[in-house]
Amino acid sequence: MFVNFRTLVRQPLVLLFFLSCVATLSSVVRVAAANDRIALIIGMSEYAHLPALTNTRNDAEAISRTLETIGFDVTLSVDASSAEMERLLDEFAFKSEVADLALIYFAGHGIEVQGENFLIPVDAKVSSNKDVQDQSPSLKDLLAAVDRARKMRIVILDSCRDNPLGDAINLAAVEAANGNTPEETTRGGGGLAAANPDRGTLVAFAAKDGQVALDGKGNNSPFALSLMEKMTQPGLEISLMFRQVRDSVLDRTGNLQEPHTYGSLTGIPFYLAGPAEGDDGLDAGDASKAWSRLRPDQEAQLLALADLGDTRSMLGLAYMRLNPNEGRFDPKAAVDFLTRAADAGSPEAQFELAKLYERGTGVAQDEAKALELYRSAAEQNFADAINDLGFMHYQGGLGLPADPGKALRYFERAADLRHPQAQFNFAALIDDGHIPTKGPEDAAKYLYQALRSGSQDVLKLLSERPSMFTAETRRALQVKLRDNKFYAGAIDGDFGPGTQRGIRKAYGIEDG
């Protein structure tokens, strides 16, 4: 069997590429996973061994209430110990796998040690860098907790970006413990460092490097007030929302505090408070249609940001001009926006521009240029490009010689990057015996991951046509479901009601 990257059908391996008109599963009914937007809110106030903070509890509680009003499933923790933070992050990481958006907000003391950011629990007793590292979760831990959310990941750090521990940090102690000489010592003991999150993840700091995040004169900090004001506005696209938060904080603090964001969001627009009144199409999965519904005032903001070099704004503007059902349809203009973004290094722009060169849409058809762009995006681990290159190598597309061995390596790489179709593709290849080094347990692993990634097509196939997989793979999937506490029945390969409930739970659907 095999799966076409533009459809999802089970076909014999050697026949797939000659059957371009076969029926697909495009009629899959949209299924909403439970709690598609989740948040973990942490506020640290009454520190046992560090200066207490005034408004962090108020901010955490207010942010929690605000997110609940716009439909988030919120977990709130105030004055959490180190052990409690570890438990909360573990539980949130599991929940985030079936959420469209996972958000963590932390208000409290934070510090950089050796270029890594740590968030200080309320019971931390620290006198050296090693104490900080041993007793505090890092920003990497927070990013790992949101990492598997299906569409968007956000971490907000409402912490001073100076050093709350003053001269108490003993940099030499941790450097010696790590076996480093003074010449190898990296910057440590300061405020929070710059972040470099993966694509599709945004990290927002309350203040730029070296600035203090102010408490303000009332019950909430200027940053928290601005967040609550902007995140509740329906129809406000998320990247523009954070820019408006920045402008609001600058205004509230007389330019003394400027929030800063790191990371790059995907090319699909997202709205924390949902679409504007009377507009139900803003969260559509089709990027071209979704961006076309953006309000004119926000399109003007995108144009201004594009002029400043913002590649996501260029992507959004290009998608608008690729919608044939809109008056702005202009493929040549789309090519221009995508070229600018691709030249600036955006892998998504490189991928979308490659498709236009491949088809000759808005630009003269150029298969060599298309292949160059696909490869550039793949070099940046853009999973869509990697998956497509797998098919090109298998069938000899874009002038490439057929090379099934290289194709399989691309499919595996895309699957390991959590591309849902690639996960199913690779599971199917294993199940059919095309990967001699892998067996039923590996096929089950990729099927399970495709479920957790939110593939509705895989959910439908496993629910309606489980016999397309071997009995060995079905039993291995039951074991995987059992190990993750979604199934407690017999390991017999029979996908009866109990297994079907487990499959739906793994996907994120709780039977009522």
Side-chain angles (χ1 to χ4, degrees), residues 240-288:
L240 299 177
M241 186 207 85
F242 275 105
R243 289 182 180 273
Q244 291 188 21
V245 168
R246 179 201 62 186
D247 294 344
S248 176
V249 173
L250 283 168
D251 182 61
R252 279 190 160 99
T253 63
N255 294 325
L256 293 176
Q257 179 180 335
E258 181 179 357
H260 195 74
T261 58
Y262 299 90
S264 59
L265 299 175
T266 67
I268 298 291
F270 206 94
Y271 306 84
L272 282 185
E277 185 177 353
D279 194 346
D280 297 326
L282 285 172
D283 285 334
D286 184 297
S288 180

Side-chain angles (χ1 to χ4, degrees), residues 56-358:
T56 45
R57 171 191 284 269
N58 296 338
D59 290 343
E61 292 175 343
I63 292 287
S64 176
R65 290 192 298 269
T66 299
L67 288 171
E68 286 177 339
T69 65
I70 57 175
F72 275 74
D73 175 24
V74 178
T75 300
L76 171 66
S77 177
V78 175
D79 288 343
S81 66
S82 177
E84 178 72 1
M85 283 192 72
E86 182 177 358
R87 182 189 66 79
L88 287 167
L89 291 172
D90 284 345
E91 292 178 354
F92 193 74
F94 189 72
K95 288 176 62 177
S96 72
E97 291 183 3
V98 295
D100 284 344
L101 182 151
L103 181 152
I104 296 178
Y105 170 89
F106 175 88
H109 285 308
I111 188 170
E112 173 202 349
V113 174
Q114 297 180 283
E116 186 171 2
N117 296 314
F118 291 86
L119 298 315
I120 312 299
V122 76
D123 62 342
K125 187 175 184 179
V126 294
S127 58
S128 70
N129 284 357
K130 190 172 189 306
D131 290 339
V132 173
Q133 292 168 315
D134 289 344
Q135 299 177 39
S136 309
S138 68
L139 174 57
K140 289 181 180 178
D141 295 324
L142 271 63
L143 291 171
V146 301
D147 180 57
R148 290 183 177 267
R150 293 171 177 175
K151 293 182 181 178
M152 190 165 295
R153 297 153 286 279
I154 301 172
V155 174
I156 303 172
L157 300 182
D158 195 352
S159 302
C160 294
R161 298 196 71 178
D162 58 358
N163 181 0
L165 306 178
D167 296 329
I169 289 295
N170 181 356
L171 180 62
V174 72
E175 294 296 340
N178 290 335
N180 294 339
T181 65
E183 292 76 21
E184 295 170 321
T185 297
T186 57
R187 179 171 174 251
L192 295 178
N196 185 28
D198 291 338
R199 189 180 306 109
T201 303
L202 189 73
V203 176
F205 287 98
K208 287 178 65 175
D209 189 16
Q211 289 185 339
V212 174
L214 303 173
D215 248 356
K217 298 179 180 179
N219 291 328
N220 296 106
S221 70
F223 182 62
L225 286 171
S226 297
L227 267 179
M228 291 185 286
E229 175 186 279
K230 299 300 180 182
M231 66 173 48
T232 55
Q233 293 184 15
L236 180 57
E237 209 283 319
I238 193 166
S239 61
L240 299 177
M241 186 207 85
F242 275 105
R243 289 182 180 273
Q244 291 188 21
V245 168
R246 179 201 62 186
D247 294 344
S248 176
V249 173
L250 283 168
D251 182 61
R252 279 190 160 99
T253 63
N255 294 325
L256 293 176
Q257 179 180 335
E258 181 179 357
H260 195 74
T261 58
Y262 299 90
S264 59
L265 299 175
T266 67
I268 298 291
F270 206 94
Y271 306 84
L272 282 185
E277 185 177 353
D279 194 346
D280 297 326
L282 285 172
D283 285 334
D286 184 297
S288 180
K289 292 179 181 178
W291 282 108
S292 295
R293 305 297 294 272
L294 201 72
R295 297 202 308 258
D297 63 314
Q298 294 188 49
E299 182 182 358
Q301 292 178 59
L302 291 185
L303 286 164
L305 292 170
D307 287 341
L308 295 174
D310 183 72
T311 58
R312 186 167 184 266
S313 296
M314 297 174 197
L315 264 170
L317 292 163
Y319 281 129
M320 289 179 189
R321 284 147 184 82
L322 288 173
N323 185 351
N325 299 317
E326 289 284 328
R328 288 170 292 196
F329 182 62
D330 188 343
K332 290 184 179 179
V335 168
D336 179 63
F337 282 121
L338 289 175
T339 299
R340 289 164 57 191
D343 290 345
S346 165
E348 185 170 354
Q350 292 166 351
F351 176 72
E352 294 296 338
L353 188 59
K355 291 192 290 185
L356 298 185
Y357 272 103
E358 183 181 2

